[in-house]
Amino acid sequence: MPGKRNMKLTEEQREMLAGKYGKGAAMAMRIQCAVGEGFEAERMVPVSRVHISLSAQNADIWFTEKMTEAGAAARVIPTVNPGYCVKYFREKGWLAEEDSINMRRTEAAYTKLGANMTLSCTPYLSDNRPGFGEICAFSETSVTVFANSVLGARTNRESAMSAACAAITGFVPEYGMLLPENRLGTVLVKVSARVDSAIRFAMLGLCGKKIGRGIPVFTGLPDEIDTESLIALGASLNISGSYDMFHIPGVTPEAPDEKAAFGGRAPVRTVELTEQDMNEAFALYSHEPGDSVDYVILGCPHYTCEQVRTAAEFLRGKKARVPVMILTSRTVIAEAEKSGIKEMLEEAGADLIPDTCVDEKYCFQCLKGKNGATDSPKAIYYMENFGMSMAVRDMKTCLSWAVSGKPDSSTPMAAM
Ligand code: F3S
């Protein structure tokens, strides 16, 4: 029986499993006990933060509706990932009324669960930022890797459903990344390529096939790395591979130096990453630009305040000829509104779009067959599944193409 064979449950957890806190909580606890047994967890531990990667797709909606129909409610208020901004895409005329149903159902289901409807994939920037050592249940691959690596929080890569269960019960099975011994580096990655900007960190993350499985410890990188670059690295690592965490000695908090990153053990493998490796990895993801640039999508993961400001500065006094869509959080948009940056962007023809993920084909399908540009390899990784074609370049190149309406002929890697 789940929860009895391997896991030692507290009295409260046993009572929850038995239904004292309602049918929904019992269902959630049963699922978590099964997950815990699968991973040979010994016990359940309290969780203080939850982020759910809702996808506005049927299976996730079905699960959350099922839970709330059974009376489940969040004990730990979760933040949630983006779906799509019905208002924006309906006003554009890009979204049919019937295609907005899933998002409306999603919002209703998670609101009923008690979620904080942040609808952003960068909750760690402000809305749901864990401290060092804090136990969390985060889903969304770019969120979990950032929380573990950059903030030193402890989270497994939960699914939307297991994270919802954690929000309902307030507990998570203790296994994997919650245990200190599983957080040590295993693969030494010596980087000789130039990695000095967010786009180049994104490219570095595309080298997952060469890095292989494990927890990479990157050396040869700058001593100071901005948040945007660390976000880009984690996001790309999880499209070219599957990574819970990385270390950068002297930069990430659990790796004051290389020795500490490995816990004093020798790496199981050493990998060298050169400029050529980055070039080859990049070529696997970026599409060739067409004769024209018909749209630009930025903000996968959601743009930070700094990125929004940089885009606005770059576009000052210019006008985009094609749609420029910058995906970001409501929090960043509120900041941009206060500081006048949103207005500056709108004057230049760029929209700040809240609540939206690139992986929502109904919103973007009218751009199918056109030539796009993005600064996110993750965006094209998802969007090519529904027939989109985009060249990957750094933010300023994408924006300058939007202004001219056509790509320049610069060599991608050399120019970025
Ligand atoms: Fe965010 Fe969606 Fe990209 S969740 S990271 S915009 S794929």
Side-chain angles (χ1 to χ4, degrees), residues 38-201:
F39 285 98
E40 300 182 343
E42 287 186 4
R43 59 177 188 161
M44 305 273 285
V45 289
V47 68
S48 49
R49 293 180 182 274
V50 177
H51 178 77
I52 304 177
S53 57
L54 61 78
S55 58
Q57 285 158 11
N58 281 329
D60 291 337
I61 303 173
W62 175 86
F63 181 81
T64 310
E65 287 176 344
K66 194 100 184 146
M67 282 296 184
T68 53
E69 278 160 20
R75 277 182 142 196
V76 177
I77 306 293
T79 49
V80 293
N81 240 31
Y84 49 98
C85 180
V86 170
K87 183 171 179 284
Y88 178 84
F89 290 99
R90 290 284 292 148
E91 277 172 12
K92 278 257 175 204
W94 292 1
L95 185 69
E97 178 55 32
E98 61 268 28
D99 294 330
S100 55
I101 292 170
N102 268 4
M103 192 59 209
R104 295 193 204 283
R105 269 181 68 200
T106 298
E107 292 194 281
Y110 284 90
T111 301
K112 194 167 173 195
L113 186 70
N116 179 4
M117 299 304 289
T118 48
L119 295 163
S120 171
C121 49
T122 51
Y124 45 77
L125 291 174
S126 59
D127 297 314
N128 197 358
R129 184 177 175 89
F132 185 84
E134 200 170 344
I135 294 177
C136 308
F138 280 0
S139 50
E140 157 56 39
T141 56
S142 66
V143 174
T144 52
V145 73
F146 189 92
N148 278 320
S149 313
V150 181
L151 302 179
R154 297 187 177 188
T155 178
N156 284 310
R157 289 169 16 128
E158 303 286 349
S159 69
M161 295 170 197
S162 65
C165 290
I168 293 163
T169 64
F171 298 104
V172 275
E174 189 182 42
Y175 68 93
M177 300 307 288
L178 304 195
L179 300 169
E181 62 270 26
N182 296 329
R183 300 174 63 83
L184 297 171
T186 54
V187 186
L188 175 60
V189 184
K190 294 182 174 176
V191 182
S192 62
R194 177 169 64 84
V195 184
D196 56 1
S197 60
I199 190 74
R200 280 186 163 262
F201 273 88

Side-chain angles (χ1 to χ4, degrees), residues 211-272:
I211 297 168
R213 289 170 69 92
I215 297 185
V217 177
F218 293 99
T219 62
L221 298 179
D223 294 338
E224 288 189 12
I225 304 173
D226 60 22
T227 300
E228 291 72 17
S229 298
L230 294 166
I231 293 173
L233 174 61
S236 282
L237 278 171
N238 280 305
I239 61 169
S240 70
S242 175
Y243 296 91
D244 295 315
M245 187 168 186
F246 60 81
H247 296 287
I248 304 175
V251 174
T252 55
E254 290 176 54
D257 55 38
E258 192 179 316
K259 194 170 167 206
F262 289 102
R265 300 180 308 197
V268 294
R269 199 165 59 252
T270 298
V271 175
E272 307 214 350

